[in-house]
Amino acid sequence: MFGVFKSDPQKALRKRYDKKLEEAMHAQRRGDIKSYAFLSAEAESIWIKIKKLNRP
């Protein structure tokens, strides 16, 4: 009954993942390769968490 009020952890992680990818893209366009690599690695770790949530 109260499941409507629970937040979806996958949705929150996906939002963080998209944000990190966008930040990485902007860093790459600025020519800041070090930040791009760091942000891409963070996005990859978030993606791994998302995949773990999708497992049955």
Side-chain angles (χ1 to χ4, degrees):
M1 180 173 160
F2 292 104
V4 176
F5 300 114
K6 287 186 178 181
S7 63
D8 183 14
Q10 185 177 357
K11 186 176 180 182
L13 283 174
R14 184 63 191 225
K15 195 172 192 180
R16 284 180 47 205
Y17 173 74
D18 290 340
K19 181 73 174 162
K20 287 292 179 187
L21 282 182
E22 185 177 353
E23 289 175 8
M25 178 194 64
H26 289 299
Q28 185 181 30
R29 287 184 179 176
R30 286 192 312 264
D32 189 0
I33 302 304
K34 189 182 270 187
S35 292
Y36 168 72
F38 180 74
L39 291 167
S40 295
E42 284 184 353
E44 182 66 26
S45 68
I46 294 170
W47 183 252
I48 291 170
K49 291 177 185 176
I50 292 171
K51 287 180 76 173
K52 285 182 182 178
L53 285 175
N54 286 336
R55 289 187 183 161

